[in-house]
Amino acid sequence: MSYKLYYWPSIPGRGEFVRLALEDAGAEYVDVGRDQGATAVAQMIHNGAHFAPPILADEYESVSHVAHILAWISRPLELAPGDERDFRRMHQMQLTVTDFVGEIHDTHHPLGPSLYYDEQKEAAARRSAVFISDRLPKFLDYFERMLTDNPDSDEWAIGRRCTTLDLSLFQVMRGLRHAFPNALSANETPALNELTRRVARRRGIAAYLDSERCIDFNQDGIFRHYPELDGPNR
């Protein structure tokens, strides 16, 4: 199966969650934004039934929203648990990842994406303080518990093998280490840390991270490092 991924060419962003699944599985895909530019992505949105990227298409259909895309491709890419109940739980946790990513984004853009960061610095500082003291520990504790409580594996979040959820948690932890290194270090997350190391060693992921296809985190994406928004260095 060959896919076309539509996402903005200069940032990892939400498209990275989809890329990681495709790269881990060694799937054949075209990264349209990086091959043809942002205009091709904008045209796909204009012509189709999608509000925003990422959008993934095959020869039959196109699907948007990260959690929806990952649910769609997880089985053909062999990145889904075998049990149907576990599949639903995986999707449930993936939607929680979506909530987490939204809150991370809103630390630097609490008044909305149409304003520059410099236009909402005061609100961002207040939002980040609450995120660091309250929301970040709650999300991390939840995913840490899901990892340690999995009855089928002491390596993965759900079922007996790596799933798209594990790849997404890997990306979130990488992003948090870039955006909030001090705040993250203040939270004990041994299971998530080990998961991050385990995913990084997977053949497809390791090759991708070492390639020119992988774009570094930057100040235009979801995970942005503003020292004034991070917690104190401990």
Side-chain angles (χ1 to χ4, degrees):
M1 180 69 71
S2 178
Y3 297 98
K4 290 183 178 180
L5 173 63
Y6 294 83
Y7 198 71
W8 309 121
S10 60
I11 58 173
R14 290 175 174 83
E16 197 71 1
F17 294 93
V18 181
R19 287 191 196 97
L20 288 172
L22 296 169
E23 293 283 349
D24 182 85
E28 181 181 340
Y29 77 101
V30 175
D31 203 326
V32 175
R34 294 182 184 175
D35 280 8
Q36 302 175 28
T39 301
V41 179
Q43 191 65 42
M44 179 66 171
I45 299 168
H46 178 73
N47 292 340
H50 305 287
F51 181 75
I55 302 163
L56 191 68
D58 64 11
E59 60 181 307
Y60 302 107
E61 63 179 320
S62 59
V63 173
S64 55
H65 289 284
V66 170
H68 191 196
I69 293 170
L70 294 179
W72 178 43
I73 64 175
S74 60
R75 282 175 168 144
L77 296 187
E78 298 184 353
L79 286 169
D83 181 78
E84 185 62 29
R85 178 181 291 180
D86 283 347
F87 180 84
R88 291 193 297 272
R89 289 188 62 229
M90 179 189 75
H91 188 53
Q92 172 181 297
M93 285 189 274
Q94 186 69 52
L95 290 168
T96 306
V97 171
T98 298
D99 292 341
F100 194 12
V101 170
E103 293 203 24
I104 293 167
H105 171 272
D106 289 350
T107 57
H108 52 77
H109 274 73
L111 302 183
S114 60
L115 298 176
Y116 290 107
Y117 169 67
D118 287 343
E119 299 177 277
Q120 48 191 314
K121 275 188 171 182
E122 184 177 347
R126 295 182 64 189
R127 182 65 177 262
S128 294
V130 174
F131 174 77
I132 289 170
S133 65
D134 180 35
R135 305 300 292 166
L136 178 63
K138 284 184 178 179
F139 277 107
L140 292 176
D141 287 349
Y142 169 74
F143 289 117
E144 187 79 4
R145 189 170 68 252
M146 293 303 100
L147 277 165
T148 56
D149 289 351
N150 181 5
D152 298 316
S153 172
D154 59 0
E155 296 184 338
W156 309 112
I158 189 76
R160 294 181 174 86
R161 64 185 184 186
C162 181
T163 69
T164 52
L165 174 65
D166 297 299
L167 302 179
S168 293
L169 290 173
F170 164 76
Q171 178 64 7
V172 168
M173 291 299 288
R174 288 181 68 231
L176 286 171
R177 283 176 182 164
H178 171 77
F180 292 98
N182 295 340
L184 186 62
S185 67
N187 289 269
E188 295 292 331
T189 56
L192 282 165
N193 293 341
E194 182 55 39
L195 175 71
T196 303
R197 290 188 287 268
R198 187 177 299 115
V199 170
R201 293 193 297 265
R202 289 175 65 82
R203 182 171 60 181
I205 298 299
Y208 171 64
L209 295 176
D210 196 41
S211 74
E212 294 182 356
R213 299 188 304 280
C214 183
I215 296 178
D216 291 336
F217 295 109
N218 56 55
Q219 296 301 82
D220 295 318
I222 297 167
F223 301 99
R224 306 185 189 186
H225 179 59
Y226 295 107
E228 64 271 24
L229 301 185
D230 197 4
N233 190 1
R234 298 191 179 188

